[in-house]
Amino acid sequence: MRWLGFSGALLLTVATLLNAAATPRWLTTVPAVVLAAAVAGMGTVVLAWVLLGRLVVTGGDAAPGPRALKWTVLLWAGPLLAAPPLFSRDVESYLAQGAIAARGLDPYVLGPRQGLGPADELTRNMSGYWLDTPSPYGPLFTAVQRLIAQVTGEQQLTGLLLYRLVALVGVALVLWAVPRLAARAGVPANAALWLGVANPLLLWHFVAGVHNDALMLGLMLAGTVLALSAVDERVQWWRLSAGVLLIALAADVKLPAVVALAVVGTALARRLGGTLWHLALTGTAMLASVAVVSAVVSLATGLGFGWLTTLGTSGQVNSWMAPTNWFGFLTGGIGSLFGLRITQTMIGVGQLVGYALIACGAVVVVHRQLRGSLGELPALGLLLAVVVAFGPAVQPWYLLWAAVPLATCLPAGRARTTLAALVALFAVLLPPLGGNFSGKVGQLVAGYLGGALVVAALAFLARRGAPERTHTASARR
């Protein structure tokens, strides 16, 4: 399975490199073929991951251990390091926002078109969704963006490589934290690593996609490891402080990481006595901690507090994956039949309902954790799942916010299988070359069908070979 997944990652990388090198003349004949190859590579990695999961679940001598799974992650990620950014163009926004900050302008006030000008190469390369929107990221990540822009200047390729390095730091932190959190929850480390780190969704969007969610998640999980281990018996205040600091820094990359402080604060409240008074005390302390850390980062970097006004920027694009937006799309579509333009208004109503559901869900989860009917890691995963499901914007990689913590605590059974199925589905939801096939539905369909046929053939061959391998293994025993 290890080399099957490597072959898929290599095929995906080669296909995307061919697409990046394509000339306009090629675009009339090649894209469907290249897309089919890319989809086949994606599907091959997903297939290898599923087959690997069967070995992990069944156990026995053939099951890979934690060390083997870590090497598998590195092997599958290797080819993707040579691929151009896949599945989204967010990294181009990172480059543009960093350039704005490096020029002494405020990325929390100016969008790339205003800050850099429409003729700038960074502006021309960007997705049109974010040309006129300010940065939605916290001060820590904006400081990283500014530093990369100052170091690389006009060298976009070098800037891309540095952003990929930042993402890999996040992945390394996730790889460090997951086995430790799994040990805490009594889940086998190899099962947690398979579902939480070796999954194709993480490879696509953290390694190949270069999303800053990797750094956010890595800092958050590392901080959670330290903070929760500090309240096991006697409270180790220095370790707790270090964990809270890392989580607060994660929130200064992207705000959703702050929910980990709710879990840590509730765990500390249980250790101190478990009353609502203790919860109020520890909750206040957690809020004060993240406020102090954010203030220090904002002032030390000279970026100020403008980021507080742009936290909702990502919700300005109507995400079709966000359930809270479906109400607006539905009612708006009905209204358009009668000449009414109410889509945006109804989307706003749906998002308000979503925020209320997030608040209610958080109260329920924290209350159950405080009473001891819900563990710390399930609470973290559920809180993040609620934030994703009812937030104003949903992207495939957002699933990782909840999936990785849940991978560390879900026992074998229906819940783990359901999560694995969601990961596999979201891993093939977006075409890696989708940005180059806008308005060409026929090519998309042809590419996906071609890729699916290749993967189906590989799955058939793997299924035929399974009984023979099982018989051979039994004979050896």
Side-chain angles (χ1 to χ4, degrees):
M1 305 313 161
R2 179 183 295 180
W3 291 106
L4 179 65
F6 173 80
S7 300
L10 184 61
L11 177 59
L12 173 60
T13 299
V14 171
T16 54
L17 289 173
L18 285 174
N19 181 74
T23 66
R25 178 176 56 83
W26 288 27
L27 293 178
T28 60
T29 55
V30 172
V33 177
V34 176
L35 178 60
V39 172
M42 290 168 55
T44 301
V45 175
V46 173
L47 175 63
W49 179 69
V50 170
L51 295 175
L52 185 64
R54 291 176 60 184
L55 293 177
V56 170
V57 171
T58 55
D61 295 338
R67 183 179 177 85
L69 280 165
K70 290 179 181 179
W71 280 110
T72 299
V73 172
L74 296 177
L75 183 68
W76 292 0
L80 298 175
L81 296 177
L86 303 182
F87 302 97
S88 89
R89 297 162 62 184
D90 281 6
V91 69
E92 294 169 356
S93 299
Y94 302 166
L95 289 165
Q97 292 156 3
I100 292 172
R103 295 180 186 185
L105 303 174
D106 191 345
Y108 298 122
V109 173
L110 302 174
R113 196 192 322 251
Q114 293 173 294
L116 303 178
D120 191 279
E121 186 177 359
L122 290 172
T123 306
R124 294 200 309 270
N125 290 340
M126 277 188 60
S127 167
Y129 288 126
W130 312 117
L131 279 175
D132 299 306
T133 56
S135 171
Y137 306 120
L140 178 61
F141 187 69
T142 302
V144 171
Q145 291 176 293
R146 182 176 62 189
L147 177 62
I148 289 176
Q150 290 170 340
V151 169
T152 62
E154 300 297 323
Q155 301 297 320
Q156 293 187 41
L157 179 59
T158 306
L160 169 62
L161 294 176
L162 289 179
Y163 277 113
R164 185 157 273 165
L165 178 61
V166 170
L168 290 177
V169 170
V171 172
L173 288 172
V174 172
L175 199 60
W176 176 84
V178 162
R180 289 163 174 80
L181 293 174
R184 184 178 186 84
V187 170
N190 61 345
L193 285 167
W194 167 73
L195 182 54
V197 188
N199 75 72
L201 200 60
L202 186 145
L203 294 172
W204 294 171
H205 298 293
F206 285 4
V207 177
V210 205
H211 285 285
N212 60 2
D213 302 68
L215 182 61
M216 178 200 78
L217 193 61
L219 288 170
M220 184 191 76
L221 292 180
T224 302
V225 170
L226 294 176
L228 291 182
S229 66
V231 299
D232 280 338
E233 295 178 3
R234 292 183 56 187
V235 178
Q236 302 177 32
W237 294 105
W238 68 269
R239 182 183 287 267
L240 177 62
S241 299
V244 169
L245 173 62
L246 287 179
I247 295 171
L249 290 175
D252 284 337
V253 175
K254 294 187 78 168
L255 188 62
V258 77
V259 302
L261 291 180
V263 173
V264 171
T266 306
L268 180 60
R270 279 180 54 79
R271 173 58 55 197
L272 296 178
T275 67
L276 290 177
W277 164 250
H278 290 114
L279 180 62
L281 183 65
T282 59
T284 302
M286 293 299 133
L287 287 174
S289 298
V290 73
V292 169
V293 171
S294 298
V296 169
V297 173
S298 298
L299 294 173
T301 58
L303 293 167
F305 298 92
W307 58 275
L308 292 170
T309 66
T310 63
L311 294 175
T313 297
S314 59
Q316 293 180 11
V317 175
N318 297 329
S319 169
W320 63 270
M321 294 186 195
T324 55
N325 292 344
W326 297 346
F327 172 73
F329 291 141
L330 177 62
T331 55
I334 295 173
S336 66
L337 299 177
F338 301 95
L340 301 175
R341 297 182 178 180
I342 59 173
T343 300
Q344 199 59 47
T345 300
M346 292 298 102
I347 285 177
V349 172
Q351 291 179 356
L352 288 176
V353 172
Y355 290 133
L357 290 173
I358 289 173
C360 293
V363 169
V364 171
V365 170
V366 168
H367 180 265
R368 291 190 60 191
Q369 185 192 348
L370 184 66
R371 294 292 173 254
S373 60
L374 187 65
E376 301 147 349
L377 297 177
L380 177 59
L382 287 175
L383 280 174
L384 287 164
V386 167
V387 169
V388 173
F390 299 116
V394 175
Q395 300 291 351
W397 54 93
Y398 288 8
L399 180 64
L400 291 167
W401 301 356
V404 178
L406 288 174
T408 67
C409 61
L410 289 180
R414 181 175 298 177
R416 186 191 290 173
T417 301
T418 301
L419 180 59
L422 281 173
V423 168
L425 173 63
F426 273 66
V428 296
L429 201 57
L430 294 181
L433 313 179
N436 295 314
F437 292 84
S438 178
K440 301 178 181 179
V441 178
Q443 290 184 352
L444 282 172
V445 172
Y448 260 88
L449 284 177
L453 288 174
V454 173
V455 176
L458 289 173
F460 176 75
L461 293 174
R463 186 179 180 86
R464 286 192 60 186
E468 180 180 348
R469 289 194 299 271
T470 303
H471 176 76
T472 302
S474 301
R476 288 177 179 172
R477 288 197 291 268

